[in-house]
């Protein structure tokens, strides 16, 4: 296996998720190549990241980090699948689209492994990865080794929309939005109740601010589409907050 400073990482997707993973990879010595989705073209990338228009075939690992737009995600994955070497690992966020569904978009599904990636989750020591029914054993091993090379532990979880931690956090944030809308409590009191009552580092309104309302809405909407159950209905206040790009407490 190549040394970190010889390995090329290509990262495609949304801001600020791309920057978070790019910074971590760069700090671990990887050569980082980045392409933000078109709607984030205005974002100025920090020094050390090499901006690209097309991925290079010589890429050792590719990350696809799009949660909000399934159409953009599909286009990114199809592009990567066509350009990259057949054995190159593709780690792709699978909190709004399962790894199994993503695998159906590409010609080499065995190389794709799902990833539990959302903004701010890299602050945790553990990263969730989710192989699909089509994932090759070698690809899963490569994914595990890559996560460890970033200084993180990993948990292999079942391939399902939302995965584990993203699903829990986003459902809490959605429920907090319902509580705010129904005047159950203020945003500050909801967060205080959760941080003191459950020993969470942040309350659900704070989590929404840190992750981003659009990201939270995307996960809850995906859960509602997947399961078709009313408990996954997006709170109107969260939907409005995501449109305005503010926290539910600021609507």
């Amino acid at each position: 296996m190549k040394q970190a400073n010889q390995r090329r990482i290509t990262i495609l997707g949304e801001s600020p998720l791309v920057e978070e993973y790019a910074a971590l990879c760069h700090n671990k010595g990887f050569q980082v190549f980045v392409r933000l989705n078109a709607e984030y073209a205005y974002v100025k990338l920090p020094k050390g990241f090499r901006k690209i228009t097309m991925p290079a075939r010589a890429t050792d690992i590719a990350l696809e980090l799009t949660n909000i737009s399934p159409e953009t995600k599909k286009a990114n994955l199809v592009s990567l699948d066509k350009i990259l070497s057949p054995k190159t690992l593709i780690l792709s966020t699978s909190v709004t689209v399962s790894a199994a569904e993503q695998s159906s978009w590409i010609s080499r599904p065995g190389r794709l492994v799902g990833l539990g990636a959302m903004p701010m989750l890299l602050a945790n020591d553990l990263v969730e990865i989710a192989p699909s029914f089509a994932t090759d054993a070698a690809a899963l091993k490569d994914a595990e080794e890559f996560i460890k090379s970033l200084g993180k532990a990993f948990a292999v979880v079942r391939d399902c929309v939302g995965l584990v931690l993203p699903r829990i956090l986003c459902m809490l944030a959605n429920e907090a939005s319902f509580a705010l809308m129904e005047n159950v409590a203020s945003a500050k009191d909801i967060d205080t109740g959760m941080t003191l009552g459950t020993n969470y580092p942040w309350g659900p309104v704070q989590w929404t601010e840190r992750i981003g309302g659009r990201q939270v809405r995307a996960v809850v909407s995906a859960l509602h589409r997947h399961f078709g159950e009313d408990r996954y209905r997006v709170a109107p206040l969260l939907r409005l907050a995501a449109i305005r790009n503010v926290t539910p407490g600021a609507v």
Side-chain angles (χ1 to χ4, degrees), residues 7 13 59 79-80 83 85 106 110 118 121 133 138 159 167 178 187 189 192 197 228 232 240-241 247:
R7 304 188 77 189
T59 296
S79 175
L80 288 170
I83 294 170
S85 172
I106 60 178
M118 294 185 75
L121 293 194
F133 65 90
D159 178 30
R167 177 175 176 173
F178 275 117
D189 289 341
T192 299
Y232 296 114
L240 182 58
T247 61

Side-chain angles (χ1 to χ4, degrees), residues 131-166:
S132 78
F133 65 90
T135 301
D136 293 336
L140 178 58
K141 183 177 180 181
D142 286 345
E144 294 172 352
E145 291 300 320
F146 172 65
I147 297 301
K148 288 193 289 187
S149 74
L150 297 181
K152 301 289 183 180
F154 65 86
V156 179
V157 301
R158 185 168 69 90
D159 178 30
C160 184
V161 170
L163 301 183
V164 181
L165 182 59

Side-chain angles (χ1 to χ4, degrees), residues 221-240:
S221 295
L223 288 165
H224 190 251
R225 287 195 304 270
H226 181 76
F227 292 104
E229 298 178 13
D230 193 59
R231 62 176 169 152
Y232 296 114
R233 179 170 59 93
V234 179
L237 188 65
L238 175 60
R239 194 180 302 276
L240 182 58

Side-chain angles (χ1 to χ4, degrees), residues 39 45 48 54 56 66 83 93 129 138 160 178 225 250:
E39 65 178 300
L45 295 171
M54 293 294 289
T66 302
I83 294 170
T93 55
I129 53 177
C160 184
F178 275 117
R225 287 195 304 270

Side-chain angles (χ1 to χ4, degrees), residues 11 14 53 144 167 184 186 211:
I11 306 177
E14 299 163 345
T53 55
E144 294 172 352
R167 177 175 176 173
V184 173
S186 68
I211 295 172

Side-chain angles (χ1 to χ4, degrees), residues 28-49:
K28 294 298 180 179
F30 291 93
Q31 298 179 44
V32 180
F33 300 82
V34 171
R35 189 182 78 191
L36 288 165
N37 294 342
E39 65 178 300
Y40 302 98
Y42 65 90
V43 175
K44 187 175 181 180
L45 295 171
K47 292 181 179 179
F49 305 167

Side-chain angles (χ1 to χ4, degrees), residues 36-165:
L36 288 165
N37 294 342
E39 65 178 300
Y40 302 98
Y42 65 90
V43 175
K44 187 175 181 180
L45 295 171
K47 292 181 179 179
F49 305 167
R50 305 181 192 183
K51 204 169 184 178
I52 59 171
T53 55
M54 293 294 289
R57 182 175 173 80
T59 296
D60 293 297
I61 298 172
L63 303 183
E64 203 300 314
L65 305 178
T66 302
N67 291 327
I68 295 172
S69 171
E71 295 78 16
T72 302
K73 185 175 194 67
K74 183 175 182 179
N76 285 346
L77 286 173
V78 169
S79 175
L80 288 170
D81 189 50
K82 287 180 178 178
I83 294 170
L84 301 180
S85 172
K87 293 186 179 180
T88 300
L89 170 68
I90 300 177
L91 270 169
S92 179
T93 55
S94 54
V95 296
T96 56
V97 182
S98 69
E101 182 175 349
Q102 294 177 53
S103 295
S104 71
W105 300 340
I106 60 178
S107 62
R108 298 178 179 86
R111 67 159 86 198
L112 189 141
V113 179
L115 180 68
M118 294 185 75
M120 299 305 302
L121 293 194
L122 274 181
N124 299 322
D125 293 329
L126 184 138
V127 175
E128 296 175 24
I129 53 177
S132 78
F133 65 90
T135 301
D136 293 336
L140 178 58
K141 183 177 180 181
D142 286 345
E144 294 172 352
E145 291 300 320
F146 172 65
I147 297 301
K148 288 193 289 187
S149 74
L150 297 181
K152 301 289 183 180
F154 65 86
V156 179
V157 301
R158 185 168 69 90
D159 178 30
C160 184
V161 170
L163 301 183
V164 181
L165 182 59

